[in-house]
């Protein structure tokens, strides 16, 4: 191997390591933000927390959005409008399920959404086994045979499953938006729609008497950690790692959520619950890690090296 190829391989490895480390950092950021949301929801309510998160997101992306009047058509914008609705449902359902179930359990159930997307088009026996294992893990976590089934709130489970379905819809719509709208345009439109839907409910449930500088700081932290920071880094990350590696790292999200639930929210987990969370994450990681990548053309490989 020539020195030039050695240098190129070393550069690609550094880029891959940087992307993977950044992706892991965003998972930590998102789940830390969710744990802060868990502290806030009993004080200000889910609507206020989610609306505050969207306000921060809109403030972060709106300065980069320069729409042209001729481009503001229904045919062009409907995927972004739908994405805004899904974003509002996903975040609201998830945060309310965190309030009712705890962060670790809610995040594990919600992860069934992207896992279903990853497995939906597969016909492999291994993927079917992984899907069954993930389902068994959730049953262990919340089902009649779990060690703490009496404490599981059915409404919380329903909300977590709603968040899972919304997350699956978010993935599908994000792909559509990324193709049809350049840069941050789609995300900006979706964030504005989400905020417009949530703001009336947030205003109706807002209680000024509970607001102090600590609550404001936590609300700002949730917005930055859970939305503005990770979303702004996604493009940077995906230029350096494959979507499969991105998904594998994301599959460890429930474990990270459980850790922050324990550290920040003082949640406790029985050995059976720890096993259930590990089964879901292991099933997801196995299914994604064993997928075969589509062979890349020389043009794609060259583009990746220049990105």
């Amino acid at each position: 191997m020539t020195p030039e190829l050695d240098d190129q391989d070393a550069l690609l490895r550094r880029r891959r390591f940087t992307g993977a480390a950044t992706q892991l950092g965003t998972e930590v950021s998102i789940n830390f933000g969710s744990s802060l949301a868990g502290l806030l929801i009993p004080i200000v309510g889910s609507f206020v927390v989610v609306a505050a998160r969207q306000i921060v997101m809109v403030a972060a992306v709106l300065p980069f959005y320069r729409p042209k009047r001729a481009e503001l058509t229904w045919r062009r914008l409907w995927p972004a409008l739908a994405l805004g609705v899904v974003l509002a449902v996903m975040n609201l359902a998830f945060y309310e399920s965190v309030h009712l179930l705890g962060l670790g359990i809610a995040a594990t159930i919600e992860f069934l959404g992207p896992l279903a997307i990853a497995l939906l088009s597969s016909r492999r026996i291994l993927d079917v086994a992984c899907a069954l294992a993930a389902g068994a893990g959730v049953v262990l976590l919340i089902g009649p045979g779990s060690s703490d089934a009496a404490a599981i709130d059915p409404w919380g489970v329903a909300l977590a499953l709603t968040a899972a379905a919304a997350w699956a819809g978010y993935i599908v719509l994000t792909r559509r938006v990324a193709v049809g709208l350049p840069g941050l345009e789609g995300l900006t439109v979706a964030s504005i729609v989400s905020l417009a839907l949530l703001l009336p409910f947030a205003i109706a449930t807002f209680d000024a008497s509970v607001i102090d500088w600590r609550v404001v700081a936590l609300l700002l932290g949730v917005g930055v950690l859970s939305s503005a920071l990770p979303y702004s880094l996604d493009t940077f990350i995906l230029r350096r790692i494959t979507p499969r590696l991105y998904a594998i790292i994301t599959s460890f999200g429930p474990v990270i959520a459980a850790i922050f639930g324990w550290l920040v929210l003082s949640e406790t987990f029985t050995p059976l619950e720890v096993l259930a969370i590990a089964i879901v994450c292991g099933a997801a990681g196995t299914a994604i890690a064993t997928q075969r990548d589509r062979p890349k053309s020389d043009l794609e490989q060259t583009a990746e090296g220049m990105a």
Side-chain angles (χ1 to χ4, degrees):
M1 184 175 292
T2 65
E4 291 80 5
L5 290 176
D6 286 340
D7 291 342
Q8 186 176 10
D9 286 345
L11 176 61
L12 289 174
R13 285 195 297 269
R14 285 197 297 270
R15 286 171 58 82
R16 192 179 301 118
F17 175 80
T18 301
T22 305
Q23 167 64 1
L24 183 60
T26 62
E27 287 299 314
V28 171
S29 177
I30 290 169
N31 286 291
F32 182 36
S34 294
S35 69
L36 297 182
L39 295 175
L40 284 167
I41 290 169
I43 301 173
V44 299
S46 298
F47 282 110
V48 174
V49 175
V50 181
R53 172 177 168 171
Q54 290 306 115
I55 288 172
V56 173
M57 187 64 198
V58 169
V61 298
L62 192 58
F64 303 99
Y65 180 44
R66 298 289 185 270
K68 298 178 181 178
R69 187 182 298 273
E71 296 177 346
L72 299 178
T73 62
W74 170 256
R75 182 176 180 180
R76 188 169 183 272
L77 291 181
W78 78 259
L81 299 175
L83 182 62
V85 176
V86 168
L87 197 60
V89 172
M90 179 178 70
N91 289 329
L92 186 62
F94 176 65
Y95 280 163
E96 190 61 27
S97 69
V98 169
H99 177 54
L100 296 173
L101 299 175
L103 178 57
I105 294 176
T108 303
I109 298 173
E110 187 198 30
F111 190 70
L112 294 179
L115 178 59
I117 291 293
L119 300 178
L120 197 59
S121 61
S122 176
R123 297 294 183 268
R124 300 187 311 164
I125 297 297
L126 178 60
D127 289 337
V128 174
C130 288
L132 293 174
V138 172
V139 170
L140 280 178
L141 197 62
I142 64 173
S146 66
S147 58
D148 198 20
I152 298 295
D153 189 310
W155 178 236
V157 173
L159 286 169
L161 290 172
T162 300
W167 194 357
Y170 172 84
I171 293 171
V172 173
L173 287 169
T174 297
R175 290 174 180 167
R176 180 70 178 265
V177 167
V179 171
L181 299 171
L184 294 175
E185 183 176 343
L187 180 59
T188 304
V189 172
S191 298
I192 293 172
V193 170
S194 177
L195 179 59
L197 292 172
L198 293 165
L199 202 55
F201 298 98
I203 293 172
T205 57
F206 180 75
D207 181 3
S209 65
V210 301
I211 302 297
D212 57 27
W213 68 268
R214 289 169 297 185
V215 171
V216 172
L218 286 173
L219 287 170
L220 180 61
V222 170
V224 172
L225 292 168
S226 294
S227 287
L229 182 62
Y231 288 153
S232 63
L233 288 174
D234 271 353
T235 301
F236 172 86
I237 293 166
L238 287 170
R239 286 174 178 168
R240 286 158 176 79
I241 63 176
T242 62
R244 185 175 70 171
L245 180 55
Y246 182 98
I248 292 171
I249 295 172
T250 302
S251 71
F252 292 101
V255 172
I256 298 172
I259 291 171
F260 278 114
W262 171 61
L263 289 173
V264 178
L265 300 175
S266 301
E267 295 176 4
T268 58
F269 301 94
T270 65
L272 186 61
E273 288 171 336
V274 172
L275 175 63
I277 293 171
I279 288 173
V280 173
C281 292
T286 300
I288 298 167
T290 56
Q291 298 292 324
R292 292 183 178 179
D293 290 329
R294 175 182 61 84
K296 295 178 181 177
S297 66
D298 293 340
L299 180 61
E300 288 174 316
Q301 294 177 4
T302 301
E304 282 188 0
M306 297 174 60

